[in-house]
Amino acid sequence: MTIQRPGPADPSSKALYLPKEASPVAEKTPPLEKPRRFYKAVTVGSVDAGYAVQLDGRTPKSPAKSALVLPSEALARLVADEWEAQDKVIDSTVMPATRLAFTAIDRIAETRAAVAAEVAAYAGSDLLCYRAEHPTPLVERQTRDWQPVLDWAEQALGLSFQPVTGIIHTPQPTQTLARVEALAASLDDFSLAGVAYAAGLLGSSVLALALRAGELDGQRALDLSRLEEIFQADTWGQDEEARLRADNLAIEALALERWFQALAQA
């Protein structure tokens, strides 16, 4: 039986524009037309506000016309590597760090409260708290693999969650959700953008916070978020479409791992 996790309390939130919805170069570019690579050299330069990605000496602009400036040299180089990797055209769908950087630059400062509330909403229906009723091997795997992460969250972050069996939404302690929201709100713009993105990708604020803290790497966090899907694949086999989807998710999870590692070097 496949358990469908309840969604966040406010699934209509538009606080972030993290999906691959627009080119980072030109907002008016038609969806099916990718802009051509127009630059030769990609470098990183120190500026007053941090470290700028530079294309032939010029800093690209975000959709809101802000300069692509990052708080650490390591993070700027991570983003610069994505620009360098573009070949004949610029494909923003394979530039997760760039998309995340533009979100942090353009949106987080003006929507911090909404984004922090969104992270708390994911905690309110956190994937790790919804356990299967059967089969027994799946139940045992969830307890074995998920509970240590919840234990870490309580010990390291002071977050006490109550796991439940089944798919019926069960409210988590009010103080826990308030604590998650406060933790999210205390983060810098770039860290908050990463945690919010990770919470949505993984269906779990706990996994997102563990990934940011370095308690889990990207692949492990993703595997834990896909535990039931992996169990089903181990039992019945995996089709090609599911495999491709898992591969694409792994790219995003690895990008988040590198994002947080680079931020830690600020």
Side-chain angles (χ1 to χ4, degrees):
M1 180 182 75
T2 299
I3 300 293
Q4 295 296 325
R5 181 188 61 83
D10 182 17
S12 64
S13 173
K14 304 289 186 181
L16 301 181
Y17 65 134
L18 293 168
K20 311 156 188 176
E21 64 186 48
S23 163
V25 178
E27 291 180 89
K28 296 182 180 180
T29 301
L32 297 180
E33 179 183 337
K34 297 180 176 65
R36 294 182 63 83
R37 174 167 172 160
F38 55 88
Y39 52 89
K40 294 182 179 179
V42 182
T43 56
V44 169
S46 178
V47 296
D48 289 342
Y51 296 87
V53 176
Q54 297 175 334
L55 311 178
D56 294 338
R58 300 179 63 183
T59 302
K61 302 291 186 180
S62 71
K65 310 305 180 186
S66 298
L68 184 52
V69 177
L70 292 305
S72 76
E73 183 177 6
L75 192 61
R77 293 197 180 281
L78 178 66
V79 174
D81 286 346
E82 291 186 342
W83 290 83
E84 183 61 59
Q86 304 306 298
D87 189 12
K88 294 181 180 179
V89 298
I90 301 171
D91 183 358
S92 65
T93 67
V94 294
M95 302 172 73
T98 299
R99 298 196 316 270
L100 198 51
F102 283 151
T103 293
I105 292 167
D106 284 352
R107 295 293 181 87
I108 296 298
E110 65 185 37
T111 60
R112 291 189 61 83
V115 176
E118 187 171 309
V119 174
Y122 274 103
S125 56
D126 201 282
L127 170 73
L128 302 189
C129 294
Y130 288 85
R131 310 293 172 84
E133 298 174 334
H134 58 78
T136 299
L138 174 58
V139 175
E140 292 175 344
R141 186 180 296 190
Q142 288 177 333
T143 301
R144 181 195 70 203
D145 291 355
W146 286 354
Q147 191 58 45
V149 187
L150 292 179
D151 292 342
W152 168 84
E154 182 166 17
Q155 295 165 8
L157 303 177
L159 302 175
S160 178
F161 288 89
Q162 301 298 321
V164 298
T165 299
I167 62 174
I168 304 301
H169 176 67
T170 301
Q172 293 296 323
T174 301
Q175 61 270 30
T176 295
L177 302 186
R179 172 68 174 160
V180 171
E181 188 167 352
L183 284 171
S186 72
L187 299 174
D188 65 86
D189 290 351
F190 292 85
S191 295
L192 179 55
V195 167
Y197 192 7
L201 181 76
L202 304 170
S204 167
S205 292
V206 176
L207 290 176
L209 291 168
L211 178 58
R212 174 186 176 266
E215 181 69 14
L216 301 171
D217 62 28
Q219 187 62 58
R220 179 58 175 167
L222 180 62
D223 288 347
L224 289 173
S225 76
R226 298 181 58 248
L227 189 149
E228 184 177 350
E229 185 179 338
I230 292 171
F231 176 83
Q232 299 288 357
D234 290 345
T235 304
W236 306 107
Q238 185 178 50
D239 61 32
E240 182 64 14
E241 182 178 350
R243 186 190 67 78
L244 290 174
R245 177 178 177 275
D247 289 346
N248 288 332
L249 290 174
I251 292 172
E252 300 285 329
L254 178 59
L256 281 164
E257 175 189 336
R258 292 172 174 168
W259 177 268
F260 291 127
Q261 288 175 343
L263 272 172
Q265 298 178 45

